[in-house]
Amino acid sequence: MAATSDVAKNAYNSALSVLDSTQAAYNQANSDYLESLNNQTDGAGLDIDESSHKLLAQYTSGTSPYIGSQYCVPYNGGYLISYSSGEDTVYQQMDSSMKYVSKMIVVNGGHGSSFGIDGSGNIWASVRKNGYQISKFPYQAGSSINASSLEPLFSSQSLLRVNYDIANNLVGYTADDSYCICDPSDLNNPKKTINISTMGFSVGQQTWQSQSLSWPYVFWQSGAYNSNSDPATVGCFNADTNTKEFVKSYLTSSYGMKYSYNEPEGIYSTGSAVLVTFNNNDNGSNSINYLFSIPTLTADSTVSERLKALNNLKKALADAKTAFNSAKADFQKYQSTSKTIVKDTRIYKNATKDVKNQKKLVASTKKKIAIVTKQYAKATGSKKQSLKKQLDNLNKVYKEQDSALTTLKKKQSTAKSKLSKAQSKSSTAEKALKRSILKKEISAAVMTETGGKDVTWITPVNPGSKESYAVLWPDSEDFSETVNVNETSVIKHTPINTVTQAGTESISVGGALIGEDGDVPTLVKKFERVRKWAENTAEVQLIGQTSFTHAIISAIDKPHDTYVTNQIPLTITLQKVDWASSNIKKKKNSTKSKGKAKKVAGSGHTQKNSKSTVKTVTTKSGDTYYKFSQKYNVSVAQLRKWNKYADRSIPVSVKLRVK
């Protein structure tokens, strides 16, 4: 019982920990929601939704043709990325899946940290020529051009970073500590000049990386290659109202990048999202480039999203409180049960001790009787009379002691029986408790891993450990249900539900298994766990927007990924399993009538008093309950009841009752 008490205590402590962490998350969500309301009131109109970031591409620096992008811009239904190669700039065309298409090289193009594309498809970029100049040129797949051949539209001795706002036909560029917004035809006379410190950037303390113009907003980001004191930071400035929309450090720990350092590279606003590139590295020779899409939120949508997150955590907090109270009740209950077992054990041990001591007394008295009996047999005269009295007294004592022993044995037997029943009851309760606590621990682990967010997760109906679950961060959930409708003619006025049958309910969930940053072995274990459930046709429970209490994983689709870091994309298809139950009570056999056969009114047929014939068939490949139900006019439910096989597991060459 001590083990059960320990399990209950551990579950109680675990539930308390989850409750505390969920309460903290709820408090933070409430603070974020109130902040967004204040920002909305103060006129702040934009934010980014990091929790909904999406990985578009990742590739190892130096591995051709994926060298590592500085900047990324939508282009011809795909993307155009840039990166430096020595003193040159490489512009590389990618398709919509970020697969290599072609590239061109600008000799002496420079760093390539930002560029833009106008409505005619021209690239606007900074190149090296007597310092730096802004030039425009078309993308030419497979070609190489020299910066010296390009016409200067604007020149500077300082490093220039160029943007093009195609929606508003504006050019933006940084020069020294200023950001300038210009008409494309006049880059020397900016319409708007903003000191980057006004945007929230700390000159001399932070490393400016890149920016993007999407009037009236200027997005920018900063951060060092390998310094925690200059973390990856993103900001947004409203150039029309001269107000900061936001300045925040990226929550890079949630992005699933492999290494410890995350240098931000390019940022480009598409209007509805920003395309952000990170040079993820270990401050050594290893690095991976990641490209993410992060949705942008308007003031109203920010308030809406944060209210949604707050409501989700409100529900999660209520669930955590319910789980805690349940775990607390279990702990208290089994503390009490444990005390009862201890008490009954003590009573049984004391009863056993009393029996043992009484047996010693009885044995001692019997021994004395034997000795006195021998003495009595040899004695004569007055001594014999004295021994006779002594012997009578001893027999009287023995009788009393033996009677007391019988009583003590009954008490011992009663105590043993009571203890045995308590232990049996406790053992049954212990198994139920451990299973209940295990499921609660799994739910708590899911809540801790997801922070109470809307996710889909799978766990076996009979889990083996508290790791027996898999959280699938979903992109899609496609539910389908079929009905098997009879395709042959039926008797007129026959109820349609007697010749149709509910088919299968299934759901296909697309998403990804998420793991700790760089912890590939744990991530692979998660996938193998799900694969084993499918392989062993384990009965599982699905919890999500659509939930199945009993289901079987019927398919797993895992696309090939060249490099696994913190997630494995999966599509899992589950089929719902229904267990047939019957509320029909068996009737007692009535006395058979030996008279004439009865006529059924209006039937025109004689009702015979004879047993119906049981019919069996030998199964062959392809046989199903539905097939037999049509052939022998019997329901599928009845066939299931008669036979022990599951619908999809009817063996070949076995006898199956069909009538």
Side-chain angles (χ1 to χ4, degrees):
M1 192 60 212
T4 305
S5 181
D6 289 342
V7 170
K9 184 177 181 180
N10 292 337
Y12 168 79
N13 290 332
S14 176
L16 178 60
S17 175
V18 171
L19 177 60
D20 289 342
S21 62
T22 307
Q23 182 70 63
Y26 174 80
N27 293 341
Q28 182 61 52
N30 189 51
S31 176
D32 291 343
Y33 173 62
L34 294 176
E35 180 188 18
S36 64
L37 285 178
N38 289 333
N39 290 340
Q40 186 182 45
T41 304
D42 294 340
L46 210 65
D47 200 353
I48 58 172
D49 181 13
E50 285 193 85
S51 64
S52 299
H53 69 267
K54 183 178 181 182
L55 177 64
L56 296 182
Q58 63 185 70
Y59 31 89
T60 304
S61 179
T63 304
S64 181
Y66 307 107
I67 305 300
S69 67
Q70 294 286 342
Y71 210 72
C72 178
V73 176
Y75 178 75
N76 281 357
Y79 301 92
L80 195 65
I81 66 174
S82 68
Y83 54 87
S84 60
S85 177
E87 297 298 317
D88 305 334
T89 304
V90 180
Y91 293 91
Q92 189 162 286
Q93 185 180 1
M94 316 293 279
D95 66 13
S96 60
S97 301
M98 288 301 293
K99 302 300 182 184
Y100 174 80
V101 177
S102 62
K103 68 180 180 180
M104 73 172 289
I105 298 174
V106 178
V107 179
N108 281 325
H111 191 252
S113 65
S114 66
F115 66 94
I117 299 175
D118 64 21
S120 300
N122 292 311
I123 298 173
W124 289 64
S126 171
V127 298
R128 291 179 181 273
K129 185 179 179 182
N130 299 322
Y132 295 90
Q133 72 178 35
I134 297 176
S135 298
K136 69 174 182 177
F137 49 89
Y139 178 77
Q140 304 169 52
S143 68
S144 177
I145 62 174
N146 199 299
S148 61
S149 67
L150 298 174
E151 177 187 357
L153 303 177
F154 176 78
S155 298
S156 172
Q157 291 302 308
S158 302
L159 176 65
L160 300 171
R161 297 176 175 88
V162 185
N163 307 129
Y164 200 103
D165 180 0
I166 191 171
N168 297 286
N169 196 31
L170 293 171
V171 172
Y173 62 85
T174 53
D176 296 316
D177 293 336
S178 296
Y179 186 76
C180 303
I181 301 173
C182 315
D183 283 327
S185 60
D186 190 2
L187 302 187
N188 289 290
N189 296 296
K191 299 175 67 174
K192 188 90 175 182
T193 300
I194 310 164
N195 190 291
I196 59 176
S197 62
T198 306
M199 296 184 183
F201 173 78
S202 297
V203 177
Q205 297 180 14
Q206 293 179 287
T207 306
W208 186 276
Q209 291 286 355
S210 61
Q211 73 289 318
S212 176
L213 175 62
S214 179
W215 181 264
Y217 303 111
V218 180
F219 292 87
W220 60 271
Q221 61 182 7
S222 67
Y225 172 77
N226 59 355
S227 173
N228 291 327
S229 62
D230 184 8
T233 301
V234 60
C236 180
F237 185 81
N238 189 321
D240 186 35
T241 60
N242 292 315
T243 55
K244 286 185 290 187
E245 297 294 329
F246 62 84
V247 176
K248 61 176 73 175
S249 294
Y250 279 108
L251 301 173
T252 53
S253 60
S254 67
Y255 283 62
M257 293 183 279
K258 183 176 182 180
Y259 300 118
S260 300
Y261 297 102
N262 303 290
E263 179 191 18
E265 295 286 3
I267 183 170
Y268 178 85
S269 172
T270 66
S272 60
V274 287
L275 304 178
V276 177
T277 311
F278 288 99
N279 176 13
N280 177 245
N281 65 89
D282 62 355
N283 195 23
S285 59
N286 297 311
S287 65
I288 301 172
N289 284 99
Y290 290 86
L291 173 63
F292 296 97
S293 173
I294 308 174
T296 52
L297 300 172
T298 63
D300 290 340
S301 60
T302 300
V303 171
S304 176
E305 287 296 320
R306 288 185 172 178
L307 179 59
K308 179 182 177 182
L310 180 62
N311 287 333
N312 286 341
L313 278 165
K314 185 177 182 180
K315 180 181 180 301
L317 182 59
D319 292 342
K321 287 179 178 177
T322 300
F324 169 73
N325 290 333
S326 177
K328 183 178 179 181
D330 287 339
F331 182 40
Q332 292 173 337
K333 175 183 176 182
Y334 284 92
Q335 272 187 319
S336 174
T337 304
S338 178
K339 289 177 182 178
T340 300
I341 296 293
V342 170
K343 178 183 176 183
D344 288 345
T345 301
R346 184 177 65 252
I347 291 173
Y348 173 67
K349 285 183 177 179
N350 289 339
T352 301
K353 184 179 179 181
D354 289 343
V355 169
K356 185 177 180 181
N357 291 336
Q358 191 65 23
K359 283 182 176 179
K360 288 181 179 179
L361 288 175
V362 170
S364 176
T365 301
K366 285 179 70 176
K367 188 174 181 181
K368 289 178 182 178
I369 289 173
I371 293 171
V372 173
T373 299
K374 287 182 180 179
Q375 291 175 347
Y376 174 77
K378 295 179 181 179
T380 59
S382 59
K383 186 175 182 181
K384 189 163 188 169
Q385 291 295 324
S386 175
L387 287 172
K388 177 70 169 62
K389 289 181 181 180
Q390 186 178 350
L391 189 60
D392 289 342
N393 287 333
L394 284 172
N395 282 325
K396 183 179 179 181
V397 170
Y398 172 77
K399 187 176 180 180
E400 291 173 350
Q401 289 177 338
D402 190 56
S403 177
L405 177 61
T406 300
T407 301
L408 289 173
K409 283 182 177 180
K410 287 181 180 179
K411 287 184 178 180
Q412 181 193 35
S413 178
T414 300
K416 183 177 181 181
S417 176
K418 187 176 179 182
L419 176 61
S420 179
K421 288 178 181 179
Q423 287 176 331
S424 177
K425 184 178 179 180
S426 173
S427 177
T428 302
E430 178 180 3
K431 291 178 182 178
L433 171 70
K434 287 183 176 179
R435 179 60 53 81
S436 173
I437 288 176
L438 182 56
K439 291 189 175 184
K440 289 173 186 175
E441 286 181 327
I442 289 172
S443 296
V446 172
M447 189 177 295
T448 299
E449 184 174 322
T450 63
K453 294 180 181 177
D454 288 332
V455 297
T456 297
W457 57 287
I458 304 169
T459 182
V461 172
N462 296 306
S465 70
K466 62 183 180 182
E467 288 80 30
S468 295
Y469 71 91
V471 174
L472 192 66
W473 296 80
D475 295 326
S476 63
E477 287 190 15
D478 300 318
F479 175 80
S480 67
E481 182 175 7
T482 62
V483 176
N484 299 320
V485 180
N486 186 57
E487 297 179 357
T488 59
S489 301
V490 298
I491 300 172
K492 190 175 181 180
H493 304 306
T494 300
I496 193 66
N497 62 359
T498 64
V499 292
T500 61
Q501 175 190 2
T504 58
E505 291 180 42
S506 64
I507 187 169
S508 183
V509 183
L513 295 173
I514 305 293
E516 295 293 329
D517 296 355
D519 190 1
V520 177
T522 299
L523 190 58
V524 171
K525 283 182 180 178
K526 288 186 177 184
F527 171 71
E528 287 299 319
R529 192 178 297 134
V530 176
R531 193 176 68 82
K532 285 292 183 184
W533 294 340
E535 204 173 72
N536 298 331
T537 61
E539 191 178 354
V540 298
Q541 182 178 5
L542 173 72
I543 301 95
Q545 289 185 4
T546 302
S547 297
F548 288 163
T549 306
H550 300 276
I552 298 292
I553 298 174
S554 57
I556 300 178
D557 180 23
K558 183 178 84 69
H560 176 68
D561 195 358
T562 56
Y563 196 92
V564 173
T565 56
N566 82 313
Q567 59 179 289
I568 295 179
L570 284 180
T571 298
I572 300 178
T573 303
L574 300 100
Q575 183 169 316
K576 184 178 179 182
V577 177
D578 286 321
W579 295 106
S581 61
S582 174
N583 59 2
I584 300 174
K585 296 181 179 179
K586 289 185 178 180
K587 294 182 179 179
K588 293 182 179 179
N589 293 329
S590 58
T591 305
K592 294 182 181 179
S593 172
K594 297 182 180 180
K596 295 181 179 179
K598 297 177 181 178
K599 285 261 187 165
V600 178
S603 68
H605 296 283
T606 300
Q607 182 180 355
K608 297 182 179 179
N609 292 314
S610 61
K611 289 184 179 179
S612 58
T613 305
V614 173
K615 181 175 179 60
T616 61
V617 296
T618 302
T619 60
K620 58 182 182 295
S621 179
D623 281 345
T624 64
Y625 286 144
Y626 180 72
K627 175 181 174 182
F628 291 133
S629 74
Q630 298 300 300
K631 185 174 181 180
Y632 296 103
N633 194 26
V634 62
S635 70
V636 171
Q638 183 62 63
L639 289 169
R640 289 195 191 107
K641 185 177 178 181
W642 281 338
N643 301 283
K644 62 184 178 181
Y645 308 110
D647 293 42
R648 296 172 59 193
S649 305
I650 300 175
V652 177
S653 300
V654 299
K655 296 262 184 210
L656 212 66
R657 180 178 175 181
V658 294
K659 267 186 107 173

